[in-house]
Amino acid sequence: VERLDGVTRERFLRDIYPRRMPVVLTGLELGTCTTKWTTDYLSQAEGSKEVKIHVSAVPQMDFLSKNFVYRTLPFDVFVRRAAEVKHKEYFLSEDEKYYLRSVGEDVRKDIADIRKQFPILAEDVHIPEYFEKEQFFSSVFRISSAGLQLWTHYDVMDNFLIQVTGKKRVVLYSPRDAPYLYLSGTKSEVLDVDNPDLQKYPLFVKAKRYQCVLEAGDVLFIPALWFHNVLSEEFGVALNVFWKHLPAESYDKTDTYGNKDPMAASRAIQILDRALKTLEELPEEYRDFYARRMVLRIQEKAYRNDYG
């Protein structure tokens, strides 16, 4: 993934954004957070308010099999525990991993916004405003233990991943490689992107891997629909900023996480499911014939010409 230093808003919107490729932006003015946010400062700044966290006994978290538990801890206790490698106090095991993904007060209705959930810390951050204010969707505060790896998934909105402290490796795949990623909803079933089980997932070798390492102060632009897999190489604090790049009415109003498919896409998939159910009324030979014709029609009408 390309690294570019000191990119202005104008240059980003003119040269980088239209390409719809991930890029690491370095040397941006992010505020005092990059120097200030030590474990001591973090735990004292927001005190002992309760936060809901993911706790995992294994480094690779899997959202599909849910191999982690949700627990609640006071924020200051959580920060100190997440920064340790071995724990004296723990839920599952002494080397368990912790992960905080901030959420709104009411998870079903409220969107994550650092200014509301962590107002004191929000004052230390200058979010690069490369998009219009009304396009803003959410700012998600994240803290991860060293060694924790998140599942590969896509989001339906554009995203800046701001690495404030610590170091992360991010592996990305283009939306066009979706057929090789064994999707279940927005998530890939291939957990171990470094040593995939190719007997189970033979097509995965066709997916082109893009990779970058984010150091403290780096900002990764992840365009909507790009798949990403994040490994925290060190204990670290990050902030994601999601914004709407489609007209506001395209998105599902009940989406608080920014990962529900656009309304038109959801409707199209429902219609397709009904069409497939209708095909079941035919004998297998006919079903196969008309299904292949439907695939050709979809390719002809909806695929882009500039890639296969």
Side-chain angles (χ1 to χ4, degrees):
V1 175
E2 202 179 352
R3 292 176 70 87
L4 298 170
D5 192 56
V7 171
T8 60
R9 181 178 194 263
E10 292 67 35
R11 186 181 164 208
F12 178 76
L13 292 174
R14 185 188 67 226
D15 302 336
I16 298 162
Y17 194 61
R19 285 169 31 205
R20 312 298 297 153
M21 290 286 288
V23 62
V24 178
L25 306 172
T26 62
L28 297 186
E29 181 42 62
L30 300 174
T32 54
C33 55
T34 46
T35 49
K36 229 170 154 180
W37 285 7
T38 60
T39 30
D40 286 345
Y41 174 75
L42 287 168
S43 48
Q44 158 244 311
E46 293 284 352
S48 58
K49 71 160 166 215
E50 303 264 286
V51 286
K52 192 177 180 189
I53 53 170
H54 301 65
V55 183
S56 176
V58 293
Q60 273 171 344
M61 272 175 38
D62 177 4
F63 198 81
L64 295 170
S65 74
K66 295 277 197 294
N67 65 349
F68 52 85
V69 294
Y70 291 105
R71 292 291 180 265
T72 305
L73 278 178
F75 184 71
D76 50 358
V77 176
F78 157 68
V79 170
R80 295 196 180 286
R81 279 215 214 167
E84 306 166 339
V85 177
K86 285 263 185 282
H87 313 292
K88 287 192 179 66
E89 292 179 45
Y90 50 83
F91 297 108
L92 307 170
S93 67
E94 62 173 13
D95 51 5
E96 66 193 12
K97 309 283 183 202
Y98 297 92
Y99 172 58
L100 166 73
R101 181 225 188 268
S102 67
V103 291
E105 299 310 311
D106 179 338
V107 182
R108 286 181 303 280
K109 293 198 203 99
D110 300 330
I111 284 155
D113 184 343
I114 189 173
R115 293 167 300 192
K116 292 183 185 148
Q117 285 102 39
F118 297 92
I120 297 164
L121 295 177
E123 288 176 18
D124 302 335
V125 188
H126 175 73
I127 292 171
E129 290 180 1
Y130 285 21
F131 46 91
E132 301 301 326
K133 285 227 179 339
E134 59 274 13
Q135 289 177 278
F136 170 85
F137 175 71
S138 65
S139 50
V140 182
F141 183 61
R142 297 178 192 268
I143 297 183
S144 304
S145 292
L148 183 79
Q149 188 168 11
L150 288 180
W151 54 89
T152 304
H153 67 284
Y154 71 87
D155 301 292
V156 299
M157 295 186 194
D158 288 338
N159 173 5
F160 273 151
L161 170 52
I162 302 167
Q163 190 63 28
V164 181
T165 69
K167 195 169 160 186
K168 269 196 182 102
R169 183 199 76 175
V170 186
V171 172
L172 302 115
Y173 301 96
S174 157
R176 72 183 73 173
D177 283 344
Y180 317 132
L181 296 179
Y182 298 87
L183 295 186
S184 174
T186 60
K187 299 157 188 76
S188 166
E189 290 177 19
V190 186
L191 265 199
D192 192 339
V193 293
D194 300 306
N195 300 293
D197 179 344
L198 294 177
Q199 280 190 304
K200 204 171 174 187
Y201 308 115
L203 294 176
F204 186 71
V205 290
K206 293 186 171 189
K208 182 181 175 184
R209 175 183 175 127
Y210 295 80
Q211 185 172 314
C212 61
V213 172
L214 298 181
E215 307 278 354
D218 287 349
V219 176
L220 172 62
F221 168 54
I222 306 175
L225 309 183
W226 271 78
F227 296 88
H228 42 289
N229 176 289
V230 180
L231 169 66
S232 295
E233 295 191 350
E234 301 169 348
F235 164 76
V237 183
L239 183 66
N240 278 95
V241 183
F242 290 96
W243 72 93
K244 302 170 185 176
H245 108 98
L246 304 176
E249 61 276 10
S250 309
Y251 299 101
D252 187 325
K253 297 276 180 289
T254 65
D255 187 5
T256 53
Y257 288 102
N259 60 7
K260 286 192 179 175
D261 292 316
M263 303 289 274
S266 300
R267 284 202 307 275
I269 288 164
Q270 284 169 355
I271 295 165
L272 176 64
D273 285 342
R274 284 206 298 276
L276 292 169
K277 195 133 192 62
T278 311
L279 277 185
E280 286 172 14
E281 294 169 21
L282 293 166
E284 190 182 27
E285 182 187 354
Y286 283 79
R287 202 164 61 222
D288 179 273
F289 175 70
Y290 287 105
R292 286 171 194 275
R293 284 184 62 187
M294 282 166 71
V295 169
L296 287 171
R297 252 179 110 153
I298 290 173
Q299 284 180 338
E300 202 179 294
K301 297 273 184 206
Y303 275 28
R304 285 171 62 165
N305 298 325
D306 57 354
Y307 58 79

